[in-house]
Each structure stands twice: as C-alpha cells, then as structure tokens.
Amino acid sequence: MKGMETDRFRMLMMKALDGELAGSEHSEFDNYLRDEECQQEWIAFRKVKEATMDLKLSEAAPEVWDGYWKGVYNRTERGIAWLLFTAGALLLLGYGAVEFVEKLWLDTQAPLIVKIGIFTLAGGSFLLLFSVIRERWFTSRHDKYKKVQR
C-alpha cells in the first residue's frame, strides 16, 4: 500500500474504531480490509480498543483515605497548595479588578448609568460572597458533628 492510501486507511480505521464512518466510507473501509496487512492492523487496533475500554480504576477503601489524611506531610502539602492557589488567585483577581475599575472610570465613552450599574453589581456580588463565607465559617465553628468519623 502506498503512503497516501495508508494514511487514508488509517484515518478510516480511526473513524471506524470510534463508530464515525459515514455512508460511502463503510464500503471504502471494507475494501481496504480485503488486504491482509490492513486486516491485521485493524484486528490489532480493535484489540487495543477493547482492552482500554475494559480498564477501570479501582477506588481505594475509605480506611486507606483516612490513613492518608492522618499523615502530617499529606495535610501540610495540601494546605500549602491551597494557600498558594488562593494567594495567586486573589492576586490576579485583585489586579484585574483594579485595572478594570481604572479603565472603566477613565473611559469617557461609557455612559454613567453603565458605570453605576457595574459598580453596584460588583459591590453586591462582593457583599454576597463575603456573607456566604462568613456564614460558612460561623457554622463550621459551631458544627456539633464536625468530629464524627464515617
């Protein structure tokens, strides 16, 4: 088989594996399968697909996760990761907010009602977010089931 034909066969084979062959492509693909080499390649790829479709990740038992989270290193690592992630996100969000406010405030083309609406929306969103965080923090401190293990 020549290079162009091989490329075409492989493209059709990938479509066939995914079940995406269109009308005339079925007969074209079947013609390629008359060739012994193409048929062997098709069988090999089908076996690979069947093998990968049968793969499943096994879930760890809850006791394994409990043991994992009891480790100081694991908790520290996750805590530091969340701290860095939060700090980076706050830094970028703060910078973006300052830039946005500065550009909007200095924009003479934007109507005043749009500016007021955007600032009111942003203020309300910030206040709602602060309220939800404060409520979560308050309830977590007074949760009587906090130390219950599953």
Side-chain angles (χ1 to χ4, degrees):
M1 195 173 352
K2 296 175 187 169
M4 293 287 283
E5 284 186 45
T6 303
D7 291 343
R8 177 73 179 156
F9 166 69
R10 288 192 174 143
M11 185 194 72
L12 290 173
M13 184 172 60
M14 293 301 130
K15 282 183 149 186
L17 281 172
D18 294 334
E20 297 177 350
L21 284 177
S24 65
E25 292 175 333
H26 284 282
S27 59
E28 187 181 357
F29 183 66
D30 288 341
N31 285 336
Y32 279 115
L33 290 181
R34 291 181 186 155
D35 180 61
E36 182 73 25
E37 186 179 327
C38 292
Q39 198 172 33
Q40 293 299 321
E41 193 169 343
W42 168 241
I43 290 169
F45 268 88
R46 270 197 354 221
K47 285 181 181 175
V48 168
K49 182 174 182 175
E50 288 171 9
T52 55
M53 296 300 285
D54 290 340
L55 291 178
K56 291 184 178 144
L57 293 175
S58 61
E59 291 284 328
E63 298 83 24
V64 173
W65 285 111
D66 289 343
Y68 176 81
W69 286 114
K70 284 182 182 172
V72 174
Y73 173 75
N74 300 330
R75 287 183 301 178
T76 304
E77 178 184 75
R78 186 65 59 98
I80 289 172
W82 274 111
L83 185 69
L84 290 174
F85 177 81
T86 304
L90 287 176
L91 198 72
L92 290 175
L93 287 173
Y95 177 76
V98 168
E99 287 290 317
F100 177 74
V101 168
E102 184 180 323
K103 299 259 190 233
L104 184 63
W105 192 257
L106 295 177
D107 186 6
T108 57
Q109 302 293 324
L112 181 62
I113 190 74
V114 172
K115 290 180 180 178
I116 291 172
I118 289 174
F119 285 120
T120 305
L121 179 69
S125 298
F126 178 75
L127 190 59
L128 281 172
L129 179 66
F130 179 75
S131 174
V132 168
I133 290 171
R134 192 170 57 87
E135 180 184 306
R136 293 281 178 155
W137 182 69
F138 179 78
T139 56
S140 72
R141 286 183 55 205
H142 296 91
D143 184 10
K144 59 184 176 184
Y145 302 109
K146 187 166 47 175
K147 294 187 179 184
V148 173
Q149 296 285 325
R150 52 183 146 104

